[in-house]
Amino acid sequence: MTTLACIIRPSTPPSRIIPLARAVEAAGIEEIWLWEDCFQTGGISAAGAILSATDHVRVGIGVMPTPLRNVALTAMEVATVDGMFPGRLIPGIGHGVQSWMAQVGGKAGSPLTLMREYATALRALLAGERVTTSGRYVSLDDVALDWPPARPVPVPVAATGPRSLRLAGEVGDGVVLEGSVGLAGLPAVLERIAEGRAAAGHDPSAPFPVIQNVSAATGPDAAARLRAELTAWGQDVADDAGLATYAVWGDAQAIADGVRRYGDAGAHTVALQPTEDEPDLERFIEVTGAAQELLRQG
């Protein structure tokens, strides 16, 4: 069954994060996904707080921008959170929005090179290895974690373009896809990922989770709100057919049906993203939870 997740956007005021996370868990939703936009809520801090305030929901960060964080610090934070809440954190990494990375003096000349070096080092550190490497962006001298995770912690990689998708297949433990991929774009995306996995010699039958962000809305004005937001992002959603390529909306049954379509196309986790102007996040979570129950029923 496709995993259904609920996104708490980084524009959410920090004071609202814990109540919303508790509502997500109470609704029976399996995962919460966050991400880091400059200069809003932090991924690791929000994830740790959510995990402390809930009992079993998993928290994915999709994603942490690699230029913002030294890889050793990321490894330390991920290992610490996983040690307190084993198996409940999914720490994704990505290139970051390049204009924001320039604002903080961290823009990389080659984001792909940075990602290759960073993902390789991070996964090695989390596996308990002692790492020495001197790359273009990542340099470590005899570094090992005192408290590495007791079990493997998968690190998915965000990707959009063909080269980054192939790289995600090579160096990631999964992939996080933006909503701009859409339902129609998934087959080509999966082909590029498979090319990267084959190039790296990975077992094609080994698990490789595909996490797809999908815009979603409920209520009488759901389609209108989605169309306005997606149009502003440059998506062609002039009619319902176009909107259905990038979004799901309506009641619980309509949401569940839309999630199934993404699952049938190859997504393992569908993370539903409310619109920025969602008027009732608690109601959105309630409907998402009802859709989750419909998915469980088959």
Side-chain angles (χ1 to χ4, degrees):
M1 185 187 81
T2 305
T3 298
L4 178 58
C6 185
I7 290 173
I8 298 179
R9 296 175 68 136
S11 55
T12 303
S15 61
R16 292 272 282 144
I17 291 174
I18 295 303
L20 291 174
R22 287 176 171 154
V24 169
E25 182 166 82
I29 300 166
E30 297 179 37
E31 292 182 2
I32 294 169
W33 278 81
L34 315 167
W35 76 82
E36 292 185 324
D37 270 357
C38 292
F39 301 92
Q40 299 179 332
T41 51
I44 286 286
S45 53
I50 290 170
L51 291 167
S52 181
T54 56
D55 294 323
H56 53 78
V57 68
R58 296 184 297 274
V59 179
I61 307 176
V63 290
M64 296 176 283
T66 56
L68 279 176
R69 300 170 176 274
N70 183 281
V71 69
L73 177 61
T74 300
M76 289 163 56
E77 291 191 319
V78 169
T80 299
V81 174
D82 183 76
M84 292 187 287
F85 308 100
R88 292 178 60 197
L89 177 69
I90 309 167
I93 56 176
H95 299 305
V97 175
Q98 295 306 294
S99 59
W100 288 335
M101 299 305 99
Q103 278 184 272
V104 299
K107 184 177 180 180
S110 175
L112 290 173
T113 301
L114 170 58
M115 178 57 70
R116 182 181 297 279
E117 294 177 1
Y118 198 103
T120 302
L122 178 60
R123 293 171 72 210
L125 290 168
L126 293 176
E129 298 178 19
R130 185 169 296 277
V131 181
T132 296
T133 183
S134 180
R136 181 174 174 183
Y137 298 105
V138 175
S139 294
L140 299 173
D141 183 8
D142 195 34
V143 175
L145 297 176
D146 282 7
W147 299 102
R151 68 197 74 185
V153 176
V155 179
V157 171
T160 51
R163 291 193 299 164
S164 62
L165 288 164
R166 292 188 189 97
L167 182 62
E170 288 185 53
V171 303
D173 296 308
V175 66
V176 179
L177 301 175
E178 293 182 353
S180 59
V181 170
L183 190 60
L186 259 177
V189 160
L190 297 178
E191 286 183 16
R192 301 292 84 74
I193 293 168
E195 290 170 1
R197 289 181 58 72
H202 296 311
D203 180 357
S205 65
F208 189 85
V210 175
I211 301 104
Q212 171 72 69
N213 290 356
V214 179
S215 293
T218 62
D221 62 345
R225 285 189 289 109
L226 284 167
R227 187 167 284 112
E229 184 163 282
L230 292 173
T231 298
W233 292 347
Q235 309 300 333
D236 182 8
V237 292
D239 55 25
D240 283 356
L243 187 60
T245 299
Y246 299 102
V248 297
W249 70 95
D251 60 13
Q253 186 64 64
I255 299 292
D257 290 343
V259 169
R260 285 194 188 96
R261 287 193 290 272
Y262 276 90
D264 290 345
H268 300 99
T269 296
V270 175
L272 298 184
Q273 176 176 306
T275 60
E276 189 70 50
D277 61 351
E278 169 58 54
D280 190 343
L281 284 170
E282 286 78 7
R283 174 61 178 164
F284 177 87
I285 292 168
E286 180 183 335
V287 174
T288 301
Q292 172 76 85
E293 184 57 33
L294 291 171
L295 290 168
R296 289 194 183 106
Q297 293 171 7

